């Protein structure tokens, strides 16, 4: 891994919550070295540290709980996903923490 790529990786401090839409799981990520204002909702495939996922689900009922969370979600459109994110009062950001949008 070269230095440029290493700078683009921000480590997870903690996974704080999960939310499933359209059978996809999103995680509320607290980023290491950043305050909670920079927390973001990330799709599961963006979480590269599987040990963090294992630790999160270990505290929340294991992999079967994850599977149940995905299965019980009704199919929802993008507007329903956005409404769910607003209800949780967390702004979704596509850029990494600390970077201007």
């Amino acid at each position: 891994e070269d230095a440029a790529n290493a700078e683009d990786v921000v480590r997870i401090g903690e996974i704080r919550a999960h939310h499933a839409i359209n059978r996809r799981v999103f995680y509320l990520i607290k980023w290491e070295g950043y305050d909670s204002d920079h927390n973001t909702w990330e799709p599961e495939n963006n979480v590269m540290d599987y040990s963090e996922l294992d630790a999160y689900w270990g505290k929340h009922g294991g992999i079967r709980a994850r599977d149940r969370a995905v299965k019980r979600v009704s199919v929802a459109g993008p507007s329903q996903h956005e409404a769910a994110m607003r209800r949780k009062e967390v702004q979704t950001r596509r850029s990494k923490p600390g970077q201007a949008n």
Side-chain angles (χ1 to χ4, degrees):
E1 179 175 75
D2 62 32
N5 288 336
E7 291 177 14
D8 292 339
V9 175
V10 180
R11 297 185 62 84
I12 294 173
E14 179 183 10
I15 298 175
R16 299 231 167 138
H18 71 276
H19 182 75
I21 291 289
N22 289 333
R23 300 194 182 272
R24 291 183 62 204
V25 180
F26 293 81
Y27 295 97
L28 179 59
I29 306 294
K30 162 70 172 85
W31 299 104
E32 189 175 288
Y34 294 88
D35 62 31
S36 294
D37 291 341
H38 294 283
N39 292 359
T40 59
W41 284 97
E42 298 293 335
E44 188 171 59
N45 61 328
N46 282 2
V47 180
M48 294 182 243
D49 189 344
Y50 297 114
S51 65
E52 290 290 340
L53 288 174
D54 290 342
Y56 177 80
W57 286 110
K59 295 176 188 174
H60 294 86
I63 194 67
R64 289 186 181 171
R66 182 220 173 266
D67 292 345
R68 284 191 305 274
V70 171
K71 287 179 183 176
R72 74 172 169 250
V73 172
S74 62
V75 175
S79 61
Q80 290 165 318
H81 175 68
E82 291 168 8
M85 295 300 118
R86 281 194 301 273
R87 281 194 302 273
K88 291 181 182 280
E89 299 181 275
V90 175
Q91 180 181 5
T92 302
R93 298 182 187 140
R94 293 194 178 262
S95 62
K96 68 181 183 181
Q99 186 179 43
N101 288 342

